[in-house]
Amino acid sequence: MRKKIVAGNWKMNTTLQEGIALASDLKNALAGKKVNCDVVVCTPFISVAAVAEAVKGSIIGVGAEDCSAQDKGAFTGEVSASMIASTGAKYVILGHSERRQYHGENNALLIQKLQQALANGLTPIFCVGEIKEERESNTFKSVIEGQMAALYTLSAENFGKCVIAYEPVWAIGTGLTATSAQAEEVHAFIRASIAEKYNKTVADNTSILYGGSCKGSNAPELFAQPDIDGGLIGGAALKADTFMPIIEAWK
Ligand code: PEP
């Protein structure tokens, strides 16, 4: 059975000290609670190691928000997948729309990043999603299929190690959430596409998260959809008080 996952994406919002405090708050909030999903926090590079240390002994998994497409060497400013893994982190977000938009990330680059992540034992949380114009022109399915093509270069075995996040770009940080029906339509479309590319077992075992202004108030309805397996959460992941209700939406 595929995993239910609630993952936070802190983006560029936390200093080292704020990150450790947030991780500790979340660890304390989760202590002694029975939760029905995996919990992950993806943090700025600067705090991945300290957060991995801070959440030791809890159920919280830690990830980075990106990794280099390169293995190692003269790539000033880059952080490799092996460096991320060396902190104890287990996840890495790849292909977030902000990386695609502001850093020109495309399939060729993302294929390299996927290979780096997988070669170093990290679980990629691979983001796909359309911009507003693509939704309005009804071309969103072909856009998402085009983004999925990067994942489809992987063997079934490696694909099975990936998590997908559907994040309609028009819903990220805007307060506009896709309706549960709109989200479910795309999640079901992605799952059918995976079944066609690999097979039904691979499709049934793939966790597909929703992201885009997900919060405690709308998470229960989103997570009740048959093909939505959790959330990738931006703004609401920045406080334990707002992140916890999303985790607890998995009854
Ligand atoms: C995100 O950027 O991954 C995200 C889903 O952000 P928000 O929840 O703030 O819309």
PDB file of all heavy atoms in Angstrom, residues 9 11 96-98 127 167 171-175 210-214 232-236, ligand 1:
ATOM      1  N   ASN A   9       7.488  22.276   3.295  1.00  0.00           N
ATOM      2  CA  ASN A   9       8.517  22.923   2.481  1.00  0.00           C
ATOM      3  C   ASN A   9       8.718  24.314   3.067  1.00  0.00           C
ATOM      4  O   ASN A   9       7.882  25.187   2.874  1.00  0.00           O
ATOM      5  CB  ASN A   9       8.045  22.997   1.019  1.00  0.00           C
ATOM      6  CG  ASN A   9       8.978  23.823   0.152  1.00  0.00           C
ATOM      7  OD1 ASN A   9      10.110  24.106   0.547  1.00  0.00           O
ATOM      8  ND2 ASN A   9       8.507  24.213  -1.023  1.00  0.00           N
ATOM      9  N   LYS A  11      10.917  26.498   2.396  1.00  0.00           N
ATOM     10  CA  LYS A  11      11.432  27.491   1.432  1.00  0.00           C
ATOM     11  C   LYS A  11      12.553  28.323   2.068  1.00  0.00           C
ATOM     12  O   LYS A  11      13.308  27.804   2.883  1.00  0.00           O
ATOM     13  CB  LYS A  11      10.289  28.364   0.916  1.00  0.00           C
ATOM     14  CG  LYS A  11       9.087  27.550   0.409  1.00  0.00           C
ATOM     15  CD  LYS A  11       8.138  28.363  -0.398  1.00  0.00           C
ATOM     16  CE  LYS A  11       6.928  27.518  -0.730  1.00  0.00           C
ATOM     17  NZ  LYS A  11       6.029  28.170  -1.681  1.00  0.00           N
ATOM     18  N   HIS A  96      10.477  21.832  -7.912  1.00  0.00           N
ATOM     19  CA  HIS A  96       9.458  22.750  -7.386  1.00  0.00           C
ATOM     20  C   HIS A  96       9.237  23.873  -8.402  1.00  0.00           C
ATOM     21  O   HIS A  96      10.166  24.305  -9.078  1.00  0.00           O
ATOM     22  CB  HIS A  96       9.912  23.321  -6.033  1.00  0.00           C
ATOM     23  CG  HIS A  96       8.806  24.046  -5.330  1.00  0.00           C
ATOM     24  ND1 HIS A  96       8.469  25.345  -5.639  1.00  0.00           N
ATOM     25  CD2 HIS A  96       7.946  23.645  -4.365  1.00  0.00           C
ATOM     26  CE1 HIS A  96       7.439  25.706  -4.882  1.00  0.00           C
ATOM     27  NE2 HIS A  96       7.099  24.690  -4.114  1.00  0.00           N
ATOM     28  N   SER A  97       8.017  24.360  -8.484  1.00  0.00           N
ATOM     29  CA  SER A  97       7.706  25.373  -9.510  1.00  0.00           C
ATOM     30  C   SER A  97       8.568  26.623  -9.357  1.00  0.00           C
ATOM     31  O   SER A  97       8.871  27.294 -10.346  1.00  0.00           O
ATOM     32  CB  SER A  97       6.227  25.742  -9.461  1.00  0.00           C
ATOM     33  OG  SER A  97       5.919  26.347  -8.229  1.00  0.00           O
ATOM     34  N   GLU A  98       8.987  26.919  -8.101  1.00  0.00           N
ATOM     35  CA  GLU A  98       9.834  28.109  -7.920  1.00  0.00           C
ATOM     36  C   GLU A  98      11.226  27.868  -8.498  1.00  0.00           C
ATOM     37  O   GLU A  98      11.874  28.800  -8.985  1.00  0.00           O
ATOM     38  CB  GLU A  98       9.873  28.487  -6.427  1.00  0.00           C
ATOM     39  CG  GLU A  98       8.531  29.084  -5.998  1.00  0.00           C
ATOM     40  CD  GLU A  98       8.145  28.826  -4.550  1.00  0.00           C
ATOM     41  OE1 GLU A  98       9.017  28.493  -3.734  1.00  0.00           O
ATOM     42  OE2 GLU A  98       6.935  28.955  -4.244  1.00  0.00           O
ATOM     43  N   CYS A 127       7.951  17.545  -8.022  1.00  0.00           N
ATOM     44  CA  CYS A 127       6.786  18.426  -8.187  1.00  0.00           C
ATOM     45  C   CYS A 127       6.412  18.620  -9.647  1.00  0.00           C
ATOM     46  O   CYS A 127       7.286  18.833 -10.506  1.00  0.00           O
ATOM     47  CB  CYS A 127       7.085  19.797  -7.590  1.00  0.00           C
ATOM     48  SG  CYS A 127       7.532  19.750  -5.850  1.00  0.00           S
ATOM     49  N   GLU A 167       1.247  20.249  -7.684  1.00  0.00           N
ATOM     50  CA  GLU A 167       1.094  21.587  -7.132  1.00  0.00           C
ATOM     51  C   GLU A 167       0.694  22.553  -8.246  1.00  0.00           C
ATOM     52  O   GLU A 167       1.562  23.030  -8.995  1.00  0.00           O
ATOM     53  CB  GLU A 167       2.414  22.063  -6.520  1.00  0.00           C
ATOM     54  CG  GLU A 167       2.924  21.187  -5.407  1.00  0.00           C
ATOM     55  CD  GLU A 167       3.816  21.950  -4.441  1.00  0.00           C
ATOM     56  OE1 GLU A 167       4.773  22.610  -4.888  1.00  0.00           O
ATOM     57  OE2 GLU A 167       3.520  21.915  -3.241  1.00  0.00           O
ATOM     58  N   ALA A 171      -2.079  27.989  -7.307  1.00  0.00           N
ATOM     59  CA  ALA A 171      -2.585  27.800  -5.935  1.00  0.00           C
ATOM     60  C   ALA A 171      -1.475  27.909  -4.890  1.00  0.00           C
ATOM     61  O   ALA A 171      -1.751  27.872  -3.696  1.00  0.00           O
ATOM     62  CB  ALA A 171      -3.262  26.434  -5.816  1.00  0.00           C
ATOM     63  N   ILE A 172      -0.208  28.045  -5.340  1.00  0.00           N
ATOM     64  CA  ILE A 172       0.899  28.047  -4.373  1.00  0.00           C
ATOM     65  C   ILE A 172       1.054  29.424  -3.750  1.00  0.00           C
ATOM     66  O   ILE A 172       1.294  30.414  -4.457  1.00  0.00           O
ATOM     67  CB  ILE A 172       2.225  27.618  -5.037  1.00  0.00           C
ATOM     68  CG1 ILE A 172       2.131  26.172  -5.502  1.00  0.00           C
ATOM     69  CG2 ILE A 172       3.394  27.797  -4.070  1.00  0.00           C
ATOM     70  CD1 ILE A 172       3.360  25.661  -6.198  1.00  0.00           C
ATOM     71  N   GLY A 173       0.881  29.483  -2.446  1.00  0.00           N
ATOM     72  CA  GLY A 173       1.098  30.726  -1.710  1.00  0.00           C
ATOM     73  C   GLY A 173       0.097  31.815  -2.023  1.00  0.00           C
ATOM     74  O   GLY A 173       0.256  32.960  -1.618  1.00  0.00           O
ATOM     75  N   THR A 174      -0.958  31.480  -2.763  1.00  0.00           N
ATOM     76  CA  THR A 174      -1.914  32.498  -3.201  1.00  0.00           C
ATOM     77  C   THR A 174      -3.177  32.506  -2.359  1.00  0.00           C
ATOM     78  O   THR A 174      -3.988  33.428  -2.476  1.00  0.00           O
ATOM     79  CB  THR A 174      -2.352  32.221  -4.656  1.00  0.00           C
ATOM     80  OG1 THR A 174      -2.921  30.903  -4.697  1.00  0.00           O
ATOM     81  CG2 THR A 174      -1.176  32.307  -5.622  1.00  0.00           C
ATOM     82  N   GLY A 175      -3.360  31.462  -1.557  1.00  0.00           N
ATOM     83  CA  GLY A 175      -4.619  31.338  -0.822  1.00  0.00           C
ATOM     84  C   GLY A 175      -5.695  30.675  -1.677  1.00  0.00           C
ATOM     85  O   GLY A 175      -6.752  30.311  -1.170  1.00  0.00           O
ATOM     86  N   TYR A 210      -0.785  16.494  -2.705  1.00  0.00           N
ATOM     87  CA  TYR A 210      -1.312  17.752  -3.240  1.00  0.00           C
ATOM     88  C   TYR A 210      -0.600  18.920  -2.553  1.00  0.00           C
ATOM     89  O   TYR A 210      -0.374  18.875  -1.327  1.00  0.00           O
ATOM     90  CB  TYR A 210      -2.829  17.878  -3.004  1.00  0.00           C
ATOM     91  CG  TYR A 210      -3.294  19.283  -3.309  1.00  0.00           C
ATOM     92  CD1 TYR A 210      -3.484  19.695  -4.626  1.00  0.00           C
ATOM     93  CD2 TYR A 210      -3.434  20.226  -2.288  1.00  0.00           C
ATOM     94  CE1 TYR A 210      -3.826  21.000  -4.916  1.00  0.00           C
ATOM     95  CE2 TYR A 210      -3.774  21.546  -2.577  1.00  0.00           C
ATOM     96  CZ  TYR A 210      -3.972  21.925  -3.899  1.00  0.00           C
ATOM     97  OH  TYR A 210      -4.282  23.228  -4.186  1.00  0.00           O
ATOM     98  N   GLY A 211      -0.277  19.953  -3.303  1.00  0.00           N
ATOM     99  CA  GLY A 211       0.291  21.163  -2.703  1.00  0.00           C
ATOM    100  C   GLY A 211      -0.303  22.408  -3.320  1.00  0.00           C
ATOM    101  O   GLY A 211      -0.546  22.460  -4.536  1.00  0.00           O
ATOM    102  N   GLY A 212      -0.545  23.393  -2.503  1.00  0.00           N
ATOM    103  CA  GLY A 212      -1.101  24.666  -2.986  1.00  0.00           C
ATOM    104  C   GLY A 212      -2.115  25.177  -1.998  1.00  0.00           C
ATOM    105  O   GLY A 212      -3.278  24.778  -2.026  1.00  0.00           O
ATOM    106  N   SER A 213      -1.638  26.027  -1.048  1.00  0.00           N
ATOM    107  CA  SER A 213      -2.516  26.615  -0.028  1.00  0.00           C
ATOM    108  C   SER A 213      -3.312  25.559   0.734  1.00  0.00           C
ATOM    109  O   SER A 213      -4.476  25.782   1.086  1.00  0.00           O
ATOM    110  CB  SER A 213      -3.442  27.667  -0.654  1.00  0.00           C
ATOM    111  OG  SER A 213      -2.672  28.700  -1.243  1.00  0.00           O
ATOM    112  N   CYS A 214      -2.675  24.426   0.973  1.00  0.00           N
ATOM    113  CA  CYS A 214      -3.313  23.397   1.806  1.00  0.00           C
ATOM    114  C   CYS A 214      -3.162  23.809   3.268  1.00  0.00           C
ATOM    115  O   CYS A 214      -2.099  24.257   3.694  1.00  0.00           O
ATOM    116  CB  CYS A 214      -2.642  22.049   1.544  1.00  0.00           C
ATOM    117  SG  CYS A 214      -3.386  20.698   2.470  1.00  0.00           S
ATOM    118  N   LEU A 232       2.022  18.495   0.256  1.00  0.00           N
ATOM    119  CA  LEU A 232       3.285  19.230   0.358  1.00  0.00           C
ATOM    120  C   LEU A 232       2.871  20.650   0.746  1.00  0.00           C
ATOM    121  O   LEU A 232       2.124  21.306   0.020  1.00  0.00           O
ATOM    122  CB  LEU A 232       4.051  19.201  -0.966  1.00  0.00           C
ATOM    123  CG  LEU A 232       5.403  19.943  -0.968  1.00  0.00           C
ATOM    124  CD1 LEU A 232       6.355  19.406   0.095  1.00  0.00           C
ATOM    125  CD2 LEU A 232       6.079  19.820  -2.349  1.00  0.00           C
ATOM    126  N   ILE A 233       3.347  21.081   1.893  1.00  0.00           N
ATOM    127  CA  ILE A 233       2.785  22.251   2.546  1.00  0.00           C
ATOM    128  C   ILE A 233       3.833  23.351   2.666  1.00  0.00           C
ATOM    129  O   ILE A 233       4.914  23.117   3.226  1.00  0.00           O
ATOM    130  CB  ILE A 233       2.306  21.880   3.988  1.00  0.00           C
ATOM    131  CG1 ILE A 233       1.565  20.526   4.014  1.00  0.00           C
ATOM    132  CG2 ILE A 233       1.477  23.013   4.583  1.00  0.00           C
ATOM    133  CD1 ILE A 233       0.308  20.446   3.188  1.00  0.00           C
ATOM    134  N   GLY A 234       3.515  24.549   2.174  1.00  0.00           N
ATOM    135  CA  GLY A 234       4.433  25.679   2.300  1.00  0.00           C
ATOM    136  C   GLY A 234       4.116  26.492   3.546  1.00  0.00           C
ATOM    137  O   GLY A 234       4.538  26.175   4.657  1.00  0.00           O
ATOM    138  N   GLY A 235       3.331  27.543   3.370  1.00  0.00           N
ATOM    139  CA  GLY A 235       3.059  28.497   4.446  1.00  0.00           C
ATOM    140  C   GLY A 235       2.614  27.859   5.751  1.00  0.00           C
ATOM    141  O   GLY A 235       3.106  28.221   6.836  1.00  0.00           O
ATOM    142  N   ALA A 236       1.726  26.907   5.670  1.00  0.00           N
ATOM    143  CA  ALA A 236       1.167  26.315   6.896  1.00  0.00           C
ATOM    144  C   ALA A 236       2.153  25.374   7.592  1.00  0.00           C
ATOM    145  O   ALA A 236       1.874  24.893   8.692  1.00  0.00           O
ATOM    146  CB  ALA A 236      -0.139  25.582   6.581  1.00  0.00           C
TER     147      ALA A 236
HETATM  148  C1  PEP B   1       4.687  24.849  -1.907  1.00  0.00           C
HETATM  149  O1  PEP B   1       5.343  25.799  -2.286  1.00  0.00           O
HETATM  150  O2  PEP B   1       5.162  23.714  -2.001  1.00  0.00           O
HETATM  151  C2  PEP B   1       3.355  25.115  -1.341  1.00  0.00           C
HETATM  152  C3  PEP B   1       2.462  24.196  -1.459  1.00  0.00           C
HETATM  153  O3  PEP B   1       3.152  26.348  -0.759  1.00  0.00           O
HETATM  154  P1  PEP B   1       1.798  26.858  -0.022  1.00  0.00           P
HETATM  155  O4  PEP B   1       1.314  25.744   0.840  1.00  0.00           O
HETATM  156  O5  PEP B   1       2.248  28.054   0.762  1.00  0.00           O
HETATM  157  O6  PEP B   1       0.823  27.207  -1.105  1.00  0.00           O
END
